[in-house]
Amino acid sequence: MAQKTITINGQKIEPGENKTVILNSYELHTKTKIEIPVHVIHSKNPGPSILLCAGMHGEETNGIEIIRKVISRDEVENLKCGTLVAIPVINVVSFLYGSRDLPDGRDLNRCFPGTKSGSLGSRIAYDLMKHIVPIIDFGFDFHTGGAKINNYPQLRCVFDFPDNVALAERFSTSLIIDSSYRDGTFRKEASKKGKPILVYEGGESMRFDYLAINEGVNGCLRLMQSYDMIDFDLPQNHSVKIKDDTWVRANSSGLFHMNANNGAHVRKGDLLGVICNPFGEAEDKIYSPTNGYIVGINNQPVVNQGDALIHLGIDED
Ligand SMILES: [Zn+2]
């Protein structure tokens, strides 16, 4: 069966066509119009329709770079089959400001499913649900850690859903983490429509992290290769699946030094870091409470009692 014409908010993309269209136009208080570009690569031959989207939070730049790199490759511009729907910057307004949230303080990824006449975030969410979700089979939403948290490259999905796990294995990041749905997220609302969306987390906000960028690009290429959408020879990663996780928090306030590497496997009792008093007196050593993998670290040098320092994926072996 041949591919059909795709329509996004009244704009048609024919089979065999690569085209950038506009999700919608939103007006700021300055009367400035803000548009969200959607780049579609629509092969003539049938195959899966994949969404890659990033910049849901405007200061999370790694995902934006991942999608830029993926869609500028020759083999992706000339897909053998299927469709790629790429939205490198969903939250254009927050990207302009370099901020996580929208100008009214809302988190766009808590605005789903959204409404046509709601807040700016609610309208963007509504447009994604109305115009994008129906034309895709599944998707990947690219994020980074926020507030000085650096996430080791990882996919987050629901282990109870076999389609989630199968997609994660095709993408094949080194860490795959079980993560239940949160209300108001794109991931949860798309799943209600039968469209699995996996969240990729890599690096931290406002900082390029080339390990996270390269793992993300390679995952997208592996995924497309697995559906024979591109010719590309990339070996599978060895993936570790993590069912449970825990945060190691600061027992005291002070200057935090990390003694272990992000992504490393640690054993219960290993020294993970030290919190020093700036006046040279106390040292508070932080030990791993469990065997596991370091899946995220706090890069903030000054920490307060109770702050989240190290995110551990618990190793069940
Ligand atoms: Zn995010």
Side-chain angles (χ1 to χ4, degrees):
M1 210 172 73
Q3 294 259 71
K4 292 187 178 133
T5 303
I6 291 175
T7 305
I8 296 177
N9 205 1
Q11 304 148 97
K12 290 193 185 315
I13 303 117
E14 303 296 338
E17 201 174 17
N18 293 359
K19 198 170 177 180
T20 301
V21 297
I22 301 303
L23 178 65
N24 211 340
S25 171
Y26 311 87
E27 192 178 274
L28 299 184
H29 53 290
T30 53
K31 290 279 174 199
T32 310
K33 294 257 194 268
I34 293 286
E35 294 177 335
I36 301 178
V38 181
H39 187 63
V40 183
I41 300 170
H42 193 32
S43 157
K44 279 187 174 159
N45 301 315
S49 178
I50 303 175
L51 170 68
L52 302 179
C53 60
M56 177 82 78
H57 298 125
E59 87 305 26
E60 298 183 356
T61 41
N62 288 330
I64 297 169
E65 176 66 4
I66 289 168
I67 297 182
R68 184 193 74 77
K69 284 192 153 179
V70 169
I71 60 177
S72 52
R73 294 187 69 96
D74 283 348
E75 55 276 68
V76 176
E77 283 179 0
N78 299 287
L79 286 184
K80 289 164 66 188
C81 68
T83 304
L84 187 69
V85 179
I87 312 179
V89 188
I90 295 177
N91 194 341
V92 171
V93 182
S94 299
F95 184 54
L96 281 172
Y97 287 101
S99 70
R100 175 184 176 83
D101 295 325
L102 289 156
D104 64 1
R106 283 185 171 85
D107 178 341
L108 176 56
N109 208 20
R110 298 292 179 274
C111 291
F112 287 82
T115 57
K116 197 176 180 179
S117 55
S119 67
L120 177 59
S122 184
R123 289 171 193 226
I124 296 171
Y126 173 85
D127 286 328
L128 285 165
M129 294 303 296
K130 182 170 198 284
H131 302 299
I132 301 299
V133 170
I135 62 163
I136 60 162
D137 295 316
F138 53 84
F140 287 77
D141 183 20
F142 292 85
H143 289 255
T144 74
K148 303 286 192 293
I149 301 290
N150 185 308
N151 286 326
Y152 197 74
Q154 57 195 255
L155 276 176
R156 296 186 181 175
C157 63
V158 182
F159 284 10
D160 283 342
F161 297 151
D163 57 354
N164 274 225
V165 177
L167 285 170
E169 285 171 349
R170 284 174 186 266
F171 192 101
S172 177
T173 37
S174 36
L175 296 173
I176 301 173
I177 301 181
D178 191 18
S179 173
S180 52
Y181 290 127
R182 273 194 200 173
D183 286 345
T185 59
F186 188 29
R187 190 162 76 105
K188 179 171 183 174
E189 292 304 320
S191 84
K192 288 185 187 170
K193 304 283 180 195
K195 307 294 172 80
I197 290 190
L198 275 57
V199 164
Y200 177 89
E201 285 275 351
E204 67 182 88
S205 58
M206 291 305 248
R207 200 178 300 278
F208 276 150
D209 179 316
Y210 292 100
L211 173 72
I213 291 168
N214 290 338
E215 272 234 31
V217 171
N218 288 344
C220 294
L221 297 176
R222 249 186 238 114
L223 176 81
M224 287 187 271
Q225 177 210 355
S226 78
Y227 287 107
D228 205 25
M229 295 167 77
I230 57 171
D231 285 325
F232 201 80
D233 199 13
L234 202 63
Q236 290 288 107
N237 250 341
H238 170 68
S239 295
V240 174
K241 291 198 180 73
I242 290 169
K243 189 97 183 69
D244 293 301
D245 62 300
T246 185
W247 277 95
V248 179
R249 292 184 176 273
N251 287 326
S252 55
S253 305
L255 307 174
F256 171 58
H257 297 274
M258 189 77 192
N259 281 58
N261 291 326
N262 208 1
H265 184 263
V266 293
R267 300 202 170 275
K268 186 174 180 177
D270 282 357
L271 182 67
L272 298 181
V274 179
I275 297 173
C276 305
N277 179 309
F279 311 105
E281 295 151 4
E283 256 199 4
D284 187 6
K285 292 191 168 69
I286 298 153
Y287 298 100
S288 180
T290 178
N291 292 348
Y293 291 86
I294 299 179
V295 303
I297 58 172
N298 183 348
N299 279 333
Q300 181 86 34
V302 182
V303 297
N304 287 303
Q305 202 169 36
D307 280 358
L309 299 181
I310 300 149
H311 193 190
L312 283 175
I314 297 171
D315 185 0
E316 281 156 356
D317 297 336

Short mmCIF file of all heavy atoms in Angstrom, two decimals, residues 195-224:
data_model
loop_
_atom_site.label_atom_id
_atom_site.label_comp_id
_atom_site.label_asym_id
_atom_site.label_seq_id
_atom_site.Cartn_x
_atom_site.Cartn_y
_atom_site.Cartn_z
N LYS A 195 -0.28 5.81 21.21
CA LYS A 195 0.99 6.19 20.57
C LYS A 195 2.09 6.26 21.63
O LYS A 195 2.15 7.23 22.40
CB LYS A 195 0.85 7.56 19.87
CG LYS A 195 -0.32 7.67 18.90
CD LYS A 195 -0.15 6.76 17.70
CE LYS A 195 -1.36 6.70 16.81
NZ LYS A 195 -1.53 7.80 15.91
N PRO A 196 2.93 5.22 21.72
CA PRO A 196 3.99 5.26 22.72
C PRO A 196 5.01 6.37 22.43
O PRO A 196 5.46 6.51 21.29
CB PRO A 196 4.65 3.88 22.62
CG PRO A 196 4.12 3.24 21.41
CD PRO A 196 2.93 4.00 20.92
N ILE A 197 5.31 7.13 23.45
CA ILE A 197 6.39 8.13 23.35
C ILE A 197 7.37 7.84 24.47
O ILE A 197 6.97 7.72 25.64
CB ILE A 197 5.83 9.56 23.42
CG1 ILE A 197 5.06 9.84 22.13
CG2 ILE A 197 6.96 10.57 23.62
CD1 ILE A 197 4.64 11.24 21.91
N LEU A 198 8.63 7.68 24.11
CA LEU A 198 9.67 7.42 25.10
C LEU A 198 10.42 8.72 25.34
O LEU A 198 10.61 9.52 24.40
CB LEU A 198 10.62 6.34 24.61
CG LEU A 198 10.19 4.88 24.88
CD1 LEU A 198 8.84 4.57 24.28
CD2 LEU A 198 11.24 3.91 24.38
N VAL A 199 10.84 8.91 26.57
CA VAL A 199 11.62 10.11 26.90
C VAL A 199 13.10 9.75 26.95
O VAL A 199 13.49 8.80 27.62
CB VAL A 199 11.15 10.72 28.24
CG1 VAL A 199 12.18 11.71 28.78
CG2 VAL A 199 9.80 11.41 28.07
N TYR A 200 13.89 10.51 26.18
CA TYR A 200 15.34 10.38 26.25
C TYR A 200 15.85 11.49 27.14
O TYR A 200 15.48 12.65 26.95
CB TYR A 200 15.94 10.51 24.84
CG TYR A 200 17.46 10.46 24.80
CD1 TYR A 200 18.12 9.24 24.68
CD2 TYR A 200 18.22 11.62 24.87
CE1 TYR A 200 19.51 9.19 24.65
CE2 TYR A 200 19.61 11.57 24.84
CZ TYR A 200 20.24 10.34 24.72
OH TYR A 200 21.61 10.30 24.68
N GLU A 201 16.69 11.14 28.10
CA GLU A 201 17.32 12.13 28.97
C GLU A 201 18.81 12.03 28.77
O GLU A 201 19.38 10.93 28.83
CB GLU A 201 17.01 11.80 30.44
CG GLU A 201 15.60 12.13 30.89
CD GLU A 201 15.45 13.59 31.33
OE1 GLU A 201 16.47 14.29 31.45
OE2 GLU A 201 14.30 14.01 31.52
N GLY A 202 19.47 13.18 28.57
CA GLY A 202 20.92 13.13 28.42
C GLY A 202 21.55 14.48 28.69
O GLY A 202 21.16 15.48 28.11
N GLY A 203 22.51 14.50 29.62
CA GLY A 203 23.23 15.73 29.93
C GLY A 203 22.42 16.67 30.80
O GLY A 203 21.48 16.25 31.48
N GLU A 204 22.80 17.94 30.78
CA GLU A 204 22.11 18.92 31.61
C GLU A 204 21.69 20.12 30.78
O GLU A 204 22.15 20.29 29.64
CB GLU A 204 23.00 19.35 32.78
CG GLU A 204 24.24 20.12 32.41
CD GLU A 204 25.09 20.48 33.64
OE1 GLU A 204 25.94 19.65 34.02
OE2 GLU A 204 24.92 21.57 34.20
N SER A 205 20.84 20.95 31.34
CA SER A 205 20.32 22.09 30.60
C SER A 205 21.42 23.11 30.32
O SER A 205 22.38 23.24 31.08
CB SER A 205 19.18 22.74 31.39
OG SER A 205 19.63 23.13 32.65
N MET A 206 21.27 23.83 29.22
CA MET A 206 22.16 24.93 28.81
C MET A 206 23.62 24.52 28.67
O MET A 206 24.52 25.34 28.86
CB MET A 206 22.07 26.10 29.81
CG MET A 206 20.76 26.83 29.78
SD MET A 206 20.35 27.44 28.14
CE MET A 206 20.50 29.19 28.38
N ARG A 207 23.85 23.25 28.38
CA ARG A 207 25.23 22.81 28.22
C ARG A 207 25.26 21.65 27.22
O ARG A 207 24.56 20.65 27.42
CB ARG A 207 25.77 22.32 29.57
CG ARG A 207 27.29 22.29 29.64
CD ARG A 207 27.74 21.84 31.01
NE ARG A 207 27.29 22.72 32.07
CZ ARG A 207 27.88 23.86 32.42
NH1 ARG A 207 28.96 24.25 31.80
NH2 ARG A 207 27.41 24.60 33.40
N PHE A 208 26.04 21.81 26.16
CA PHE A 208 26.18 20.68 25.23
C PHE A 208 26.97 19.57 25.91
O PHE A 208 28.01 19.82 26.52
CB PHE A 208 26.91 21.11 23.96
CG PHE A 208 26.02 21.74 22.93
CD1 PHE A 208 26.51 22.70 22.07
CD2 PHE A 208 24.68 21.37 22.80
CE1 PHE A 208 25.69 23.28 21.10
CE2 PHE A 208 23.86 21.94 21.85
CZ PHE A 208 24.36 22.89 20.99
N ASP A 209 26.47 18.37 25.79
CA ASP A 209 27.14 17.20 26.34
C ASP A 209 27.26 16.22 25.18
O ASP A 209 26.27 15.66 24.72
CB ASP A 209 26.28 16.62 27.48
CG ASP A 209 26.89 15.38 28.10
OD1 ASP A 209 27.37 14.52 27.35
OD2 ASP A 209 26.86 15.27 29.34
N TYR A 210 28.50 16.06 24.66
CA TYR A 210 28.66 15.33 23.41
C TYR A 210 28.44 13.84 23.56
O TYR A 210 28.04 13.17 22.61
CB TYR A 210 30.00 15.68 22.75
CG TYR A 210 29.96 17.12 22.29
CD1 TYR A 210 30.55 18.14 23.03
CD2 TYR A 210 29.25 17.47 21.15
CE1 TYR A 210 30.44 19.47 22.64
CE2 TYR A 210 29.14 18.79 20.75
CZ TYR A 210 29.74 19.79 21.49
OH TYR A 210 29.61 21.10 21.10
N LEU A 211 28.64 13.31 24.76
CA LEU A 211 28.30 11.90 24.99
C LEU A 211 26.79 11.73 24.82
O LEU A 211 26.31 10.83 24.12
CB LEU A 211 28.73 11.46 26.39
CG LEU A 211 28.27 10.06 26.79
CD1 LEU A 211 29.05 9.00 26.02
CD2 LEU A 211 28.43 9.83 28.30
N ALA A 212 26.03 12.62 25.45
CA ALA A 212 24.56 12.54 25.38
C ALA A 212 24.07 12.80 23.95
O ALA A 212 23.14 12.16 23.47
CB ALA A 212 23.94 13.54 26.34
N ILE A 213 24.71 13.75 23.27
CA ILE A 213 24.30 14.07 21.89
C ILE A 213 24.59 12.87 20.98
O ILE A 213 23.74 12.44 20.21
CB ILE A 213 25.02 15.35 21.41
CG1 ILE A 213 24.48 16.57 22.18
CG2 ILE A 213 24.83 15.54 19.90
CD1 ILE A 213 25.31 17.83 22.00
N ASN A 214 25.80 12.32 21.09
CA ASN A 214 26.16 11.20 20.21
C ASN A 214 25.31 9.97 20.48
O ASN A 214 24.89 9.28 19.55
CB ASN A 214 27.65 10.86 20.35
CG ASN A 214 28.52 11.96 19.76
OD1 ASN A 214 28.07 12.73 18.92
ND2 ASN A 214 29.76 12.05 20.22
N GLU A 215 25.05 9.68 21.75
CA GLU A 215 24.20 8.52 22.06
C GLU A 215 22.79 8.72 21.51
O GLU A 215 22.15 7.79 21.06
CB GLU A 215 24.14 8.27 23.58
CG GLU A 215 25.26 7.39 24.06
CD GLU A 215 24.76 6.17 24.87
OE1 GLU A 215 23.65 5.66 24.61
OE2 GLU A 215 25.51 5.74 25.75
N GLY A 216 22.31 9.96 21.58
CA GLY A 216 20.97 10.27 21.07
C GLY A 216 20.90 10.12 19.56
O GLY A 216 19.98 9.51 19.01
N VAL A 217 21.91 10.67 18.87
CA VAL A 217 21.95 10.57 17.41
C VAL A 217 22.04 9.10 17.00
O VAL A 217 21.29 8.61 16.15
CB VAL A 217 23.14 11.37 16.83
CG1 VAL A 217 23.31 11.09 15.34
CG2 VAL A 217 22.96 12.86 17.07
N ASN A 218 22.95 8.36 17.65
CA ASN A 218 23.13 6.95 17.30
C ASN A 218 21.85 6.15 17.57
O ASN A 218 21.50 5.26 16.79
CB ASN A 218 24.29 6.34 18.10
CG ASN A 218 25.63 6.83 17.60
OD1 ASN A 218 25.73 7.39 16.51
ND2 ASN A 218 26.67 6.66 18.40
N GLY A 219 21.16 6.47 18.65
CA GLY A 219 19.90 5.78 18.95
C GLY A 219 18.87 6.00 17.85
O GLY A 219 18.20 5.06 17.41
N CYS A 220 18.75 7.24 17.40
CA CYS A 220 17.78 7.54 16.32
C CYS A 220 18.15 6.78 15.05
O CYS A 220 17.28 6.23 14.36
CB CYS A 220 17.77 9.04 16.01
SG CYS A 220 17.15 10.05 17.35
N LEU A 221 19.45 6.74 14.73
CA LEU A 221 19.88 6.05 13.50
C LEU A 221 19.67 4.54 13.63
O LEU A 221 19.22 3.88 12.69
CB LEU A 221 21.35 6.37 13.21
CG LEU A 221 21.65 7.85 12.93
CD1 LEU A 221 23.15 8.07 12.74
CD2 LEU A 221 20.89 8.36 11.71
N ARG A 222 19.96 4.00 14.82
CA ARG A 222 19.74 2.56 15.06
C ARG A 222 18.26 2.21 14.91
O ARG A 222 17.90 1.21 14.32
CB ARG A 222 20.17 2.21 16.48
CG ARG A 222 21.39 1.36 16.56
CD ARG A 222 21.62 0.96 17.99
NE ARG A 222 22.92 1.40 18.41
CZ ARG A 222 23.17 2.32 19.32
NH1 ARG A 222 22.19 2.92 19.95
NH2 ARG A 222 24.38 2.66 19.61
N LEU A 223 17.42 3.09 15.47
CA LEU A 223 15.98 2.89 15.39
C LEU A 223 15.52 2.84 13.93
O LEU A 223 14.81 1.91 13.51
CB LEU A 223 15.29 4.05 16.12
CG LEU A 223 13.78 4.10 16.08
CD1 LEU A 223 13.20 3.15 17.13
CD2 LEU A 223 13.28 5.52 16.35
N MET A 224 15.96 3.81 13.14
CA MET A 224 15.54 3.87 11.73
C MET A 224 16.14 2.72 10.93
O MET A 224 15.48 2.15 10.06
CB MET A 224 15.93 5.23 11.13
CG MET A 224 15.04 6.35 11.65
SD MET A 224 15.33 7.93 10.83
CE MET A 224 16.61 8.57 11.86
#
